[in-house]
PDB file of all heavy atoms in Angstrom:
ATOM      1  N   GLY A 311     -33.178  -5.705  37.862  1.00  0.00           N
ATOM      2  CA  GLY A 311     -31.750  -5.676  37.560  1.00  0.00           C
ATOM      3  C   GLY A 311     -31.375  -6.575  36.385  1.00  0.00           C
ATOM      4  O   GLY A 311     -32.223  -6.950  35.566  1.00  0.00           O
ATOM      5  N   GLY A 312     -30.106  -6.948  36.297  1.00  0.00           N
ATOM      6  CA  GLY A 312     -29.632  -7.839  35.239  1.00  0.00           C
ATOM      7  C   GLY A 312     -29.750  -7.241  33.850  1.00  0.00           C
ATOM      8  O   GLY A 312     -29.613  -6.027  33.655  1.00  0.00           O
ATOM      9  N   THR A 313     -30.041  -8.090  32.868  1.00  0.00           N
ATOM     10  CA  THR A 313     -30.128  -7.621  31.487  1.00  0.00           C
ATOM     11  C   THR A 313     -31.333  -6.698  31.272  1.00  0.00           C
ATOM     12  O   THR A 313     -31.327  -5.877  30.363  1.00  0.00           O
ATOM     13  CB  THR A 313     -30.211  -8.801  30.505  1.00  0.00           C
ATOM     14  OG1 THR A 313     -31.339  -9.631  30.843  1.00  0.00           O
ATOM     15  CG2 THR A 313     -28.942  -9.634  30.548  1.00  0.00           C
ATOM     16  N   ALA A 314     -32.352  -6.849  32.106  1.00  0.00           N
ATOM     17  CA  ALA A 314     -33.499  -5.945  31.996  1.00  0.00           C
ATOM     18  C   ALA A 314     -33.065  -4.510  32.224  1.00  0.00           C
ATOM     19  O   ALA A 314     -33.568  -3.582  31.576  1.00  0.00           O
ATOM     20  CB  ALA A 314     -34.583  -6.333  33.012  1.00  0.00           C
ATOM     21  N   LEU A 315     -32.097  -4.316  33.115  1.00  0.00           N
ATOM     22  CA  LEU A 315     -31.598  -2.972  33.401  1.00  0.00           C
ATOM     23  C   LEU A 315     -30.606  -2.513  32.334  1.00  0.00           C
ATOM     24  O   LEU A 315     -30.654  -1.361  31.904  1.00  0.00           O
ATOM     25  CB  LEU A 315     -30.935  -2.956  34.779  1.00  0.00           C
ATOM     26  CG  LEU A 315     -30.591  -1.574  35.347  1.00  0.00           C
ATOM     27  CD1 LEU A 315     -31.835  -0.687  35.440  1.00  0.00           C
ATOM     28  CD2 LEU A 315     -29.956  -1.718  36.725  1.00  0.00           C
ATOM     29  N   SER A 316     -29.738  -3.409  31.891  1.00  0.00           N
ATOM     30  CA  SER A 316     -28.752  -3.016  30.875  1.00  0.00           C
ATOM     31  C   SER A 316     -29.399  -2.743  29.524  1.00  0.00           C
ATOM     32  O   SER A 316     -28.887  -1.957  28.726  1.00  0.00           O
ATOM     33  CB  SER A 316     -27.671  -4.099  30.734  1.00  0.00           C
ATOM     34  OG  SER A 316     -28.230  -5.332  30.312  1.00  0.00           O
ATOM     35  N   ASN A 317     -30.529  -3.394  29.252  1.00  0.00           N
ATOM     36  CA  ASN A 317     -31.241  -3.158  27.988  1.00  0.00           C
ATOM     37  C   ASN A 317     -32.360  -2.128  28.112  1.00  0.00           C
ATOM     38  O   ASN A 317     -33.118  -1.921  27.169  1.00  0.00           O
ATOM     39  CB  ASN A 317     -31.855  -4.472  27.476  1.00  0.00           C
ATOM     40  CG  ASN A 317     -30.821  -5.435  26.936  1.00  0.00           C
ATOM     41  OD1 ASN A 317     -29.796  -5.022  26.382  1.00  0.00           O
ATOM     42  ND2 ASN A 317     -31.055  -6.724  27.105  1.00  0.00           N
ATOM     43  N   LEU A 318     -32.438  -1.490  29.268  1.00  0.00           N
ATOM     44  CA  LEU A 318     -33.541  -0.563  29.533  1.00  0.00           C
ATOM     45  C   LEU A 318     -33.631   0.562  28.516  1.00  0.00           C
ATOM     46  O   LEU A 318     -34.732   1.008  28.167  1.00  0.00           O
ATOM     47  CB  LEU A 318     -33.393   0.018  30.946  1.00  0.00           C
ATOM     48  CG  LEU A 318     -34.433   1.067  31.375  1.00  0.00           C
ATOM     49  CD1 LEU A 318     -35.846   0.492  31.311  1.00  0.00           C
ATOM     50  CD2 LEU A 318     -34.117   1.575  32.771  1.00  0.00           C
ATOM     51  N   TRP A 319     -32.488   1.010  27.994  1.00  0.00           N
ATOM     52  CA  TRP A 319     -32.494   2.134  27.050  1.00  0.00           C
ATOM     53  C   TRP A 319     -33.377   1.845  25.834  1.00  0.00           C
ATOM     54  O   TRP A 319     -33.999   2.764  25.277  1.00  0.00           O
ATOM     55  CB  TRP A 319     -31.068   2.448  26.594  1.00  0.00           C
ATOM     56  CG  TRP A 319     -30.436   1.391  25.732  1.00  0.00           C
ATOM     57  CD1 TRP A 319     -29.724   0.302  26.136  1.00  0.00           C
ATOM     58  CD2 TRP A 319     -30.483   1.326  24.301  1.00  0.00           C
ATOM     59  NE1 TRP A 319     -29.333  -0.447  25.056  1.00  0.00           N
ATOM     60  CE2 TRP A 319     -29.761   0.168  23.916  1.00  0.00           C
ATOM     61  CE3 TRP A 319     -31.040   2.127  23.313  1.00  0.00           C
ATOM     62  CZ2 TRP A 319     -29.608  -0.207  22.588  1.00  0.00           C
ATOM     63  CZ3 TRP A 319     -30.894   1.773  21.985  1.00  0.00           C
ATOM     64  CH2 TRP A 319     -30.181   0.614  21.629  1.00  0.00           C
ATOM     65  N   ILE A 320     -33.451   0.578  25.445  1.00  0.00           N
ATOM     66  CA  ILE A 320     -34.288   0.200  24.297  1.00  0.00           C
ATOM     67  C   ILE A 320     -35.750   0.551  24.560  1.00  0.00           C
ATOM     68  O   ILE A 320     -36.464   1.019  23.675  1.00  0.00           O
ATOM     69  CB  ILE A 320     -34.170  -1.313  24.012  1.00  0.00           C
ATOM     70  CG1 ILE A 320     -32.734  -1.667  23.601  1.00  0.00           C
ATOM     71  CG2 ILE A 320     -35.171  -1.767  22.944  1.00  0.00           C
ATOM     72  CD1 ILE A 320     -32.489  -3.163  23.505  1.00  0.00           C
ATOM     73  N   PHE A 321     -36.166   0.361  25.811  1.00  0.00           N
ATOM     74  CA  PHE A 321     -37.568   0.539  26.168  1.00  0.00           C
ATOM     75  C   PHE A 321     -37.882   1.976  26.617  1.00  0.00           C
ATOM     76  O   PHE A 321     -39.010   2.273  27.013  1.00  0.00           O
ATOM     77  CB  PHE A 321     -37.943  -0.473  27.253  1.00  0.00           C
ATOM     78  CG  PHE A 321     -37.608  -1.875  26.835  1.00  0.00           C
ATOM     79  CD1 PHE A 321     -36.503  -2.532  27.353  1.00  0.00           C
ATOM     80  CD2 PHE A 321     -38.362  -2.516  25.865  1.00  0.00           C
ATOM     81  CE1 PHE A 321     -36.167  -3.809  26.937  1.00  0.00           C
ATOM     82  CE2 PHE A 321     -38.041  -3.793  25.441  1.00  0.00           C
ATOM     83  CZ  PHE A 321     -36.941  -4.445  25.970  1.00  0.00           C
ATOM     84  N   ILE A 322     -36.865   2.821  26.516  1.00  0.00           N
ATOM     85  CA  ILE A 322     -37.072   4.257  26.693  1.00  0.00           C
ATOM     86  C   ILE A 322     -37.002   4.940  25.339  1.00  0.00           C
ATOM     87  O   ILE A 322     -37.914   5.671  24.945  1.00  0.00           O
ATOM     88  CB  ILE A 322     -36.019   4.850  27.656  1.00  0.00           C
ATOM     89  CG1 ILE A 322     -36.157   4.228  29.045  1.00  0.00           C
ATOM     90  CG2 ILE A 322     -36.168   6.374  27.727  1.00  0.00           C
ATOM     91  CD1 ILE A 322     -35.076   4.659  30.033  1.00  0.00           C
ATOM     92  N   VAL A 323     -35.934   4.665  24.611  1.00  0.00           N
ATOM     93  CA  VAL A 323     -35.744   5.296  23.295  1.00  0.00           C
ATOM     94  C   VAL A 323     -36.822   4.848  22.312  1.00  0.00           C
ATOM     95  O   VAL A 323     -37.426   5.679  21.615  1.00  0.00           O
ATOM     96  CB  VAL A 323     -34.342   4.954  22.736  1.00  0.00           C
ATOM     97  CG1 VAL A 323     -34.203   5.478  21.302  1.00  0.00           C
ATOM     98  CG2 VAL A 323     -33.264   5.554  23.621  1.00  0.00           C
ATOM     99  N   GLY A 324     -37.070   3.532  22.238  1.00  0.00           N
ATOM    100  CA  GLY A 324     -38.046   3.011  21.279  1.00  0.00           C
ATOM    101  C   GLY A 324     -39.425   3.629  21.421  1.00  0.00           C
ATOM    102  O   GLY A 324     -39.968   4.179  20.454  1.00  0.00           O
ATOM    103  N   PRO A 325     -40.028   3.580  22.615  1.00  0.00           N
ATOM    104  CA  PRO A 325     -41.351   4.179  22.785  1.00  0.00           C
ATOM    105  C   PRO A 325     -41.394   5.687  22.535  1.00  0.00           C
ATOM    106  O   PRO A 325     -42.364   6.197  21.974  1.00  0.00           O
ATOM    107  CB  PRO A 325     -41.694   3.850  24.241  1.00  0.00           C
ATOM    108  CG  PRO A 325     -40.971   2.571  24.497  1.00  0.00           C
ATOM    109  CD  PRO A 325     -39.668   2.735  23.776  1.00  0.00           C
ATOM    110  N   PHE A 326     -40.344   6.404  22.930  1.00  0.00           N
ATOM    111  CA  PHE A 326     -40.344   7.853  22.697  1.00  0.00           C
ATOM    112  C   PHE A 326     -40.263   8.173  21.206  1.00  0.00           C
ATOM    113  O   PHE A 326     -40.948   9.065  20.714  1.00  0.00           O
ATOM    114  CB  PHE A 326     -39.201   8.525  23.451  1.00  0.00           C
ATOM    115  CG  PHE A 326     -39.531   8.885  24.871  1.00  0.00           C
ATOM    116  CD1 PHE A 326     -38.643   8.604  25.893  1.00  0.00           C
ATOM    117  CD2 PHE A 326     -40.734   9.505  25.191  1.00  0.00           C
ATOM    118  CE1 PHE A 326     -38.944   8.936  27.205  1.00  0.00           C
ATOM    119  CE2 PHE A 326     -41.045   9.834  26.505  1.00  0.00           C
ATOM    120  CZ  PHE A 326     -40.151   9.552  27.518  1.00  0.00           C
ATOM    121  N   VAL A 327     -39.438   7.426  20.492  1.00  0.00           N
ATOM    122  CA  VAL A 327     -39.360   7.628  19.031  1.00  0.00           C
ATOM    123  C   VAL A 327     -40.694   7.262  18.389  1.00  0.00           C
ATOM    124  O   VAL A 327     -41.203   7.983  17.519  1.00  0.00           O
ATOM    125  CB  VAL A 327     -38.215   6.788  18.421  1.00  0.00           C
ATOM    126  CG1 VAL A 327     -38.259   6.848  16.888  1.00  0.00           C
ATOM    127  CG2 VAL A 327     -36.868   7.293  18.915  1.00  0.00           C
ATOM    128  N   GLY A 328     -41.276   6.143  18.813  1.00  0.00           N
ATOM    129  CA  GLY A 328     -42.572   5.731  18.278  1.00  0.00           C
ATOM    130  C   GLY A 328     -43.657   6.743  18.570  1.00  0.00           C
ATOM    131  O   GLY A 328     -44.500   7.030  17.712  1.00  0.00           O
ATOM    132  N   GLY A 329     -43.652   7.308  19.782  1.00  0.00           N
ATOM    133  CA  GLY A 329     -44.641   8.322  20.132  1.00  0.00           C
ATOM    134  C   GLY A 329     -44.499   9.575  19.291  1.00  0.00           C
ATOM    135  O   GLY A 329     -45.502  10.172  18.868  1.00  0.00           O
ATOM    136  N   ALA A 330     -43.240   9.975  19.039  1.00  0.00           N
ATOM    137  CA  ALA A 330     -43.001  11.158  18.205  1.00  0.00           C
ATOM    138  C   ALA A 330     -43.448  10.905  16.767  1.00  0.00           C
ATOM    139  O   ALA A 330     -44.051  11.786  16.123  1.00  0.00           O
ATOM    140  CB  ALA A 330     -41.520  11.517  18.243  1.00  0.00           C
ATOM    141  N   LEU A 331     -43.169   9.709  16.238  1.00  0.00           N
ATOM    142  CA  LEU A 331     -43.614   9.369  14.885  1.00  0.00           C
ATOM    143  C   LEU A 331     -45.135   9.374  14.789  1.00  0.00           C
ATOM    144  O   LEU A 331     -45.712   9.849  13.809  1.00  0.00           O
ATOM    145  CB  LEU A 331     -43.078   7.994  14.487  1.00  0.00           C
ATOM    146  CG  LEU A 331     -41.587   7.902  14.152  1.00  0.00           C
ATOM    147  CD1 LEU A 331     -41.190   6.449  13.928  1.00  0.00           C
ATOM    148  CD2 LEU A 331     -41.257   8.743  12.928  1.00  0.00           C
ATOM    149  N   ALA A 332     -45.802   8.845  15.819  1.00  0.00           N
ATOM    150  CA  ALA A 332     -47.267   8.824  15.832  1.00  0.00           C
ATOM    151  C   ALA A 332     -47.835  10.231  15.782  1.00  0.00           C
ATOM    152  O   ALA A 332     -48.826  10.489  15.091  1.00  0.00           O
ATOM    153  CB  ALA A 332     -47.766   8.090  17.081  1.00  0.00           C
ATOM    154  N   ALA A 333     -47.203  11.156  16.510  1.00  0.00           N
ATOM    155  CA  ALA A 333     -47.661  12.543  16.506  1.00  0.00           C
ATOM    156  C   ALA A 333     -47.532  13.151  15.113  1.00  0.00           C
ATOM    157  O   ALA A 333     -48.415  13.885  14.654  1.00  0.00           O
ATOM    158  CB  ALA A 333     -46.864  13.363  17.515  1.00  0.00           C
ATOM    159  N   GLY A 334     -46.424  12.822  14.430  1.00  0.00           N
ATOM    160  CA  GLY A 334     -46.228  13.334  13.072  1.00  0.00           C
ATOM    161  C   GLY A 334     -47.259  12.787  12.103  1.00  0.00           C
ATOM    162  O   GLY A 334     -47.811  13.520  11.276  1.00  0.00           O
ATOM    163  N   ILE A 335     -47.550  11.488  12.213  1.00  0.00           N
ATOM    164  CA  ILE A 335     -48.561  10.878  11.347  1.00  0.00           C
ATOM    165  C   ILE A 335     -49.938  11.431  11.666  1.00  0.00           C
ATOM    166  O   ILE A 335     -50.736  11.732  10.768  1.00  0.00           O
ATOM    167  CB  ILE A 335     -48.547   9.342  11.514  1.00  0.00           C
ATOM    168  CG1 ILE A 335     -47.204   8.770  11.053  1.00  0.00           C
ATOM    169  CG2 ILE A 335     -49.699   8.699  10.733  1.00  0.00           C
ATOM    170  CD1 ILE A 335     -47.015   7.309  11.395  1.00  0.00           C
ATOM    171  N   TYR A 336     -50.209  11.593  12.949  1.00  0.00           N
ATOM    172  CA  TYR A 336     -51.512  12.105  13.385  1.00  0.00           C
ATOM    173  C   TYR A 336     -51.779  13.497  12.803  1.00  0.00           C
ATOM    174  O   TYR A 336     -52.903  13.799  12.395  1.00  0.00           O
ATOM    175  CB  TYR A 336     -51.561  12.148  14.902  1.00  0.00           C
ATOM    176  CG  TYR A 336     -52.717  12.924  15.471  1.00  0.00           C
ATOM    177  CD1 TYR A 336     -54.003  12.397  15.493  1.00  0.00           C
ATOM    178  CD2 TYR A 336     -52.518  14.209  15.992  1.00  0.00           C
ATOM    179  CE1 TYR A 336     -55.064  13.122  16.012  1.00  0.00           C
ATOM    180  CE2 TYR A 336     -53.573  14.932  16.511  1.00  0.00           C
ATOM    181  CZ  TYR A 336     -54.840  14.387  16.522  1.00  0.00           C
ATOM    182  OH  TYR A 336     -55.876  15.108  17.027  1.00  0.00           O
ATOM    183  N   LYS A 337     -50.751  14.330  12.750  1.00  0.00           N
ATOM    184  CA  LYS A 337     -50.924  15.694  12.241  1.00  0.00           C
ATOM    185  C   LYS A 337     -51.349  15.697  10.777  1.00  0.00           C
ATOM    186  O   LYS A 337     -52.041  16.616  10.320  1.00  0.00           O
ATOM    187  CB  LYS A 337     -49.639  16.498  12.417  1.00  0.00           C
ATOM    188  CG  LYS A 337     -49.398  16.954  13.853  1.00  0.00           C
ATOM    189  CD  LYS A 337     -48.179  17.854  13.950  1.00  0.00           C
ATOM    190  CE  LYS A 337     -48.003  18.376  15.367  1.00  0.00           C
ATOM    191  NZ  LYS A 337     -46.842  19.289  15.473  1.00  0.00           N
ATOM    192  N   ILE A 338     -50.941  14.676  10.032  1.00  0.00           N
ATOM    193  CA  ILE A 338     -51.329  14.589   8.620  1.00  0.00           C
ATOM    194  C   ILE A 338     -52.835  14.414   8.488  1.00  0.00           C
ATOM    195  O   ILE A 338     -53.476  14.976   7.601  1.00  0.00           O
ATOM    196  CB  ILE A 338     -50.603  13.406   7.937  1.00  0.00           C
ATOM    197  CG1 ILE A 338     -49.097  13.634   7.938  1.00  0.00           C
ATOM    198  CG2 ILE A 338     -51.119  13.222   6.507  1.00  0.00           C
ATOM    199  CD1 ILE A 338     -48.299  12.448   7.422  1.00  0.00           C
ATOM    200  N   PHE A 339     -53.419  13.648   9.417  1.00  0.00           N
ATOM    201  CA  PHE A 339     -54.850  13.350   9.363  1.00  0.00           C
ATOM    202  C   PHE A 339     -55.682  14.253  10.264  1.00  0.00           C
ATOM    203  O   PHE A 339     -56.914  14.167  10.246  1.00  0.00           O
ATOM    204  CB  PHE A 339     -55.101  11.895   9.771  1.00  0.00           C
ATOM    205  CG  PHE A 339     -54.457  10.897   8.862  1.00  0.00           C
ATOM    206  CD1 PHE A 339     -53.243  10.303   9.196  1.00  0.00           C
ATOM    207  CD2 PHE A 339     -55.054  10.541   7.661  1.00  0.00           C
ATOM    208  CE1 PHE A 339     -52.637   9.396   8.349  1.00  0.00           C
ATOM    209  CE2 PHE A 339     -54.465   9.632   6.807  1.00  0.00           C
ATOM    210  CZ  PHE A 339     -53.261   9.042   7.152  1.00  0.00           C
ATOM    211  N   ASP A 340     -55.030  15.091  11.039  1.00  0.00           N
ATOM    212  CA  ASP A 340     -55.739  15.942  11.989  1.00  0.00           C
ATOM    213  C   ASP A 340     -56.297  17.167  11.261  1.00  0.00           C
ATOM    214  O   ASP A 340     -55.893  18.303  11.500  1.00  0.00           O
ATOM    215  CB  ASP A 340     -54.812  16.377  13.113  1.00  0.00           C
ATOM    216  CG  ASP A 340     -55.561  17.199  14.168  1.00  0.00           C
ATOM    217  OD1 ASP A 340     -56.785  17.045  14.266  1.00  0.00           O
ATOM    218  OD2 ASP A 340     -54.893  17.996  14.868  1.00  0.00           O
ATOM    219  N   CYS A 341     -57.231  16.922  10.359  1.00  0.00           N
ATOM    220  CA  CYS A 341     -57.840  18.006   9.601  1.00  0.00           C
ATOM    221  C   CYS A 341     -58.846  18.747  10.466  1.00  0.00           C
ATOM    222  O   CYS A 341     -59.450  18.176  11.351  1.00  0.00           O
ATOM    223  CB  CYS A 341     -58.516  17.496   8.344  1.00  0.00           C
ATOM    224  SG  CYS A 341     -59.675  16.151   8.649  1.00  0.00           S
TER     225      CYS A 341
END
């Protein structure tokens, strides 16, 4: 609970955006 819960969106949005970016970068090298 507390601020860990109120700031939870950061730790959902951030990793998902990072994962999507990684997939895009990976496709460039996925020859």
Side-chain angles (χ1 to χ4, degrees):
T313 57
L315 191 57
S316 61
N317 287 328
L318 177 59
W319 68 272
I320 296 171
F321 306 104
I322 297 175
V323 174
F326 274 134
V327 172
L331 286 174
I335 296 170
Y336 167 76
K337 284 185 176 182
I338 296 174
F339 298 99
D340 184 24
C341 52

